[in-house]
Amino acid sequence: MITFEVDVADNQIDDVKVIKHSETPGIFNQAFDKLKANILKQQSFAVDTISGATVMTKAILDSAQAAVATDGIQITTKPQVKIPHETIDLTADVAVIGGGEAGLVAACRALSLGKKVILVEKNGYLGGATILNGSNVTGTGSKVSQRIFGAKAKQDSPQRLFDDVSRECAHTNYPELTHLMTDNIGRAIDFISQFANLNYQAAQTQTPEHSVERQIELPSASSYELIKKVAKAFAAKGGQILLDTRVENLLKDKGQLTGFVAEGQHATINVKATSVVLASGGYGANTAMRSSKSKQIDYYGPMTSTGDAYQFMKSMDLKAHDLDWYKVYPHGLEVEPGIAKLTTYASKKATDMGAIYVNKNGKRIVNESDVYVTFRDAILKQPDQIAFLVMDARTWREFYNLLILHDFTAEEIQGYFNNNGAKSPILVKGTLEKAAELAGIDADMLASTVKKYDGYAQAKQDPEFDRDAQYLHGLDGDTYYIIEQRARFATTLGGYMAQATDMALEDSHERPVAHLYGAGEVVGGANGHDSMPSMMNTWGIASGYVAGSSASQVK
């Protein structure tokens, strides 16, 4: 939902103001700012939509046009100048495909090494899948972590992070790539923090998958802060960013990659480069590329993660692997059929305060303070793959505050409650019996479960699931909140194979492709089939740093 107003004076559009919206802030802010600039410049609502946000921006344009017409206002539009399609030739030392976290870090690293860098992004905004994530990342081996954690930082090491990653993914990771990630994340964090003036702090949540405190995040807790500041620093220091620029074909000379051809809104752009960094993201939104195991799991990533590289890179004969790996989390609200929003921070806070996970039969299903993979699997074992988080009013207040901080609005949440459990996402409240009835849960069994759990909390011992005593808090009061939880994924964990020395992409014969490097989600393997929290950002930043460094060495 987007509420906005249009200011008109003397038949001129003076301003377009957003009153409130429930869209993803990182995408909305960029897309709306660009749309507004075009509206004011052309004095018209008949302007181009923003790539990657077409539905949203078209809805704004259509509703604004209808409102003006309803009020009988005639806008004095500026003469429309038809922009001819042209062909533009550009050159760079390093060209980066993809404007998410990994691509931006790679571009910044190459720029810092004195290279001329061009970054192209198919959407009308930057951020890729990163824009939907928190900013939490590991700071292992960094000066940043030494500042934040002090003496505790010495407990951590690249090898310890490697061991944690390997353990949590059941040793499905590709060790050489994991070492590249864990050995480089410290210097990568120090580099990008200084380059873009990023002020990391200790993450609000230190998840149990990590054996020591090493998770850090930006003050806003949002990756939008990272994207915005890094892009601004890149442009200010001489880097070139081309939005609405979709790569369609490759440029080659005697079989060797020399650049690519991209289509913009009004131009065909030939980018010739000494080296190319591919950071085009994953393919989670491309149902044709997804395996059957993902079909019943909600997707919460960007609908623009369509795996374009697997088409325009086809002639390079790149080696791909494990394309049926997905990072599945247990914390999600299904806000549209098949589409989820994450509640990770809020759900973790709730379980820290004593909330419990139950199924439709009203029975607890897991140790709520275990690692994410454990209760993700517990949810997936339910016949309908749905669980419910049951909490008291004091816990709800903290849960609600974190929902608001991370991508939900007050109006949106109230709208879910107004549905009274009639459809997903289910958010209900009331007495335990009433809340259970609205959520479709066996009320008698839930009452028995809560009574039993409260006894465990009082005794500080959980004989059913062995939950840590520090998280055994009884549910207080007469008002209960029951929140639906579904498994959901945004990122793909398989992808192209890269060499662990320099992120050079390999062909199907496992040979490095000259002048071509990969970074981020498009390269799979470092985190195995199931990454720990914070590790997708860790991989994006570390691999981008290495790819940017390596691409800058090509003569």
Side-chain angles (χ1 to χ4, degrees), residues 29-30 104 131 223-233:
N29 292 341
Q30 294 182 76
L104 282 167
I131 209 74
S223 279
Y224 177 45
E225 181 180 351
L226 180 143
I227 296 298
K228 182 170 60 175
K229 288 184 175 180
V230 171
K232 182 179 180 180

Side-chain angles (χ1 to χ4, degrees), residues 39-62:
I39 291 170
L40 296 179
K41 179 180 179 180
Q42 298 184 36
Q43 284 296 300
S44 172
F45 298 112
V47 299
D48 292 332
T49 56
I50 307 301
S51 298
T54 303
V55 174
M56 177 181 72
T57 50
K58 186 177 187 303
I60 292 172
L61 293 170
D62 289 348

Side-chain angles (χ1 to χ4, degrees), residues 113-278:
L113 295 173
K115 300 302 178 181
K116 180 182 179 183
V117 185
I118 295 175
L119 181 148
V120 301
E121 167 58 50
K122 71 175 182 178
N123 294 319
Y125 55 87
L126 295 167
T130 306
I131 209 74
L132 302 181
N133 297 338
S135 61
N136 52 311
V137 63
T138 61
T140 302
S142 67
K143 294 178 182 176
V144 169
S145 276
Q146 291 176 23
R147 170 181 60 80
I148 293 171
F149 296 112
K152 283 185 177 180
K154 294 180 180 179
Q155 299 174 11
D156 198 12
S157 68
Q159 184 61 48
R160 186 164 187 168
L161 178 57
F162 174 91
D163 292 342
D164 287 352
V165 169
S166 302
R167 180 191 67 249
E168 289 301 321
C169 72
H171 300 279
T172 57
N173 54 312
Y174 289 65
E176 296 83 0
L177 287 175
T178 309
H179 275 302
L180 179 143
M181 173 175 66
T182 60
D183 290 347
N184 284 282
I185 186 56
R187 59 179 64 96
I189 285 292
D190 287 339
F191 163 73
I192 201 62
S193 296
Q194 184 176 25
F195 186 94
N197 192 28
L198 302 178
N199 185 28
Y200 279 101
Q201 59 191 27
Q204 299 175 62
T205 302
Q206 301 290 327
T207 58
E209 290 87 347
H210 293 269
S211 61
V212 293
E213 292 187 11
R214 60 164 70 102
Q215 291 162 281
I216 59 178
E217 65 186 3
L218 296 174
S220 67
S222 169
S223 279
Y224 177 45
E225 181 180 351
L226 180 143
I227 296 298
K228 182 170 60 175
K229 288 184 175 180
V230 171
K232 182 179 180 180
F234 175 69
K237 296 178 184 183
Q240 184 176 2
I241 297 174
L242 302 177
L243 299 177
D244 286 312
T245 305
R246 176 186 293 271
V247 176
E248 301 282 357
N249 293 296
L250 302 179
L251 295 174
K252 295 181 181 180
D253 183 13
K254 298 179 182 179
Q256 181 173 295
L257 181 68
T258 59
F260 49 82
V261 181
E263 291 295 329
Q265 284 190 326
H266 304 289
T268 297
I269 305 168
N270 299 313
V271 179
K272 292 186 177 181
T274 305
S275 59
V276 174
V277 175
L278 180 66

